[in-house]
Amino acid sequence: MRVAVTGWTGNIGSLLTKKLKRSGFDVIKVGRQPQADYQIDLSSASSDLEVAPYCDVLVLLAWYTDHPHFWMSPLNEVFVNTSIQLVTKFQTTNPNVRVVGAGSCAELYSKSQNKYELGHAKRRLRQLLENRCGIPTTWFQIFFAYGPGEPETKLLPIIKHNNDPSQLIKEPGAIRDFIHFDNIALTIEESVTDVRQGCFHLGSGYGYLIADLIQYKLSGKIPRAHPFSEHNKWADFKVANPTQCWPGRKNVDQILTWLRE
């Protein structure tokens, strides 16, 4: 089976590419890098695409990721449009190509209609794939991803690398669901051969109070993982809906090991 991957140099894409190759897949690296097998600059609205090589599955991981600017950037809209162009090229070569997309939990809690806003842009791309392209799509709304290579300005790296992280965090009373890069890559690899279509939430299925994670980092006090049954207790409990969760990836304690490594 041949799998094309955008964003193959990123935190998740690099892990996925290695896993796919080890599993015997023929991998096509898509992007602007000289080492790419198929050249495209998804950040440029003027990209001139050549005929795409054949692939069975196209994995869309590339996106604008400069934190915190990615939350509201014109490049979000650019990536929507160039991603659709790319899909159309691969669809021309193989009308039966499938797409696996990396969405964001921002799709769920963002009500913005601003095309530059991350949640709206990701949601729009998914809808275009399904409605305009009519392409079989497996879409993951990924919750709070973490792992090596994260910018120092993001939430978990702030907790991990600062002696007094509470001074730098705006919402210590919030609760969040986190999932490690490696578990995301494993799930996407599974979805390449698992033909289930639709939109799935991808998280651990449990949430941690940010203040508890800070205390754990400082004192070693083990925080409690909050299950779905407490969903209504926390107004901002941004965890995946268990009825829409991709099965597996429940290593909820992995975050605790990572924070103190």
Side-chain angles (χ1 to χ4, degrees):
M1 177 181 284
R2 176 175 281 183
V3 182
V5 181
T6 73
W8 52 275
T9 62
N11 292 329
I12 298 168
S14 58
L15 291 171
L16 174 64
T17 301
K18 292 175 183 176
K19 292 178 187 300
L20 290 171
K21 289 182 176 180
R22 283 199 299 263
S23 297
F25 291 95
D26 182 9
V27 178
I28 299 173
K29 297 177 291 187
V30 180
R32 62 186 177 186
Q33 299 83 356
Q35 306 94 323
D37 303 306
Y38 182 68
Q39 294 281 336
I40 175 177
D41 183 356
L42 288 169
S43 66
S44 172
S46 61
S47 289
D48 185 19
L49 302 184
E50 299 179 355
V51 176
Y54 178 94
C55 77
D56 299 288
V57 179
L58 171 60
V59 180
L60 297 177
L61 294 179
W63 205 263
Y64 176 58
T65 58
D66 187 14
H67 187 267
H69 309 294
F70 66 76
W71 290 111
M72 185 67 70
S73 169
L75 281 174
N76 286 322
E77 173 67 4
V78 172
F79 270 87
V80 170
N81 295 329
T82 53
S83 294
I84 290 297
Q85 293 175 33
L86 178 67
V87 168
T88 302
K89 283 292 184 180
F90 276 95
Q91 195 176 30
T92 300
T93 305
N94 176 14
N96 297 315
V97 67
R98 286 178 54 232
V99 165
V100 176
S104 167
C105 61
E107 299 172 50
L108 299 172
Y109 58 83
S110 169
K111 304 300 181 184
S112 172
Q113 295 302 307
N114 188 324
K115 63 183 180 179
Y116 297 155
E117 196 267 339
L118 176 66
H120 178 75
K122 288 282 190 178
R123 185 167 57 243
R124 180 167 173 261
L125 176 56
R126 174 172 58 88
Q127 292 168 346
L128 287 172
L129 289 170
E130 295 171 348
N131 301 328
R132 181 193 292 182
C133 300
I135 196 164
T137 303
T138 303
W139 187 265
F140 291 108
Q141 291 174 331
I142 299 172
F143 283 74
F144 294 84
Y146 72 95
E150 278 279 78
E152 297 292 309
T153 54
K154 296 192 77 173
L155 175 60
L156 289 183
I158 288 175
I159 297 175
K160 183 180 176 74
H161 298 297
N162 288 275
N163 293 327
D164 191 7
S166 59
Q167 299 299 314
L168 302 171
I169 293 175
K170 297 179 180 178
E171 298 180 284
I175 192 167
R176 299 287 186 267
D177 183 9
F178 299 94
I179 184 167
H180 194 277
F181 294 150
D182 193 57
N183 287 333
I184 298 171
L186 280 168
T187 301
I188 293 175
E189 182 188 14
E190 290 173 0
S191 71
V192 166
T193 54
D194 188 324
V195 296
R196 276 178 291 181
Q197 299 175 31
C199 182
F200 299 91
H201 300 339
L202 185 54
S204 71
Y206 290 82
Y208 280 113
L209 191 66
I210 303 306
D212 287 349
L213 291 178
I214 294 172
Q215 188 59 38
Y216 169 73
K217 178 61 171 59
L218 296 177
S219 69
K221 182 181 178 181
I222 303 296
R224 185 165 76 89
H226 298 270
F228 286 114
S229 59
E230 297 182 0
H231 182 80
N232 294 325
K233 180 178 177 182
W234 302 89
D236 64 342
F237 197 6
K238 300 183 179 73
V239 298
N241 182 332
T243 63
Q244 293 180 256
C245 246
W246 190 272
R249 310 299 153 232
K250 302 298 183 184
N251 188 356
V252 66
D253 294 331
Q254 188 174 10
I255 186 175
L256 303 184
T257 303
W258 185 80
L259 280 174
R260 303 200 73 176
E261 285 177 341

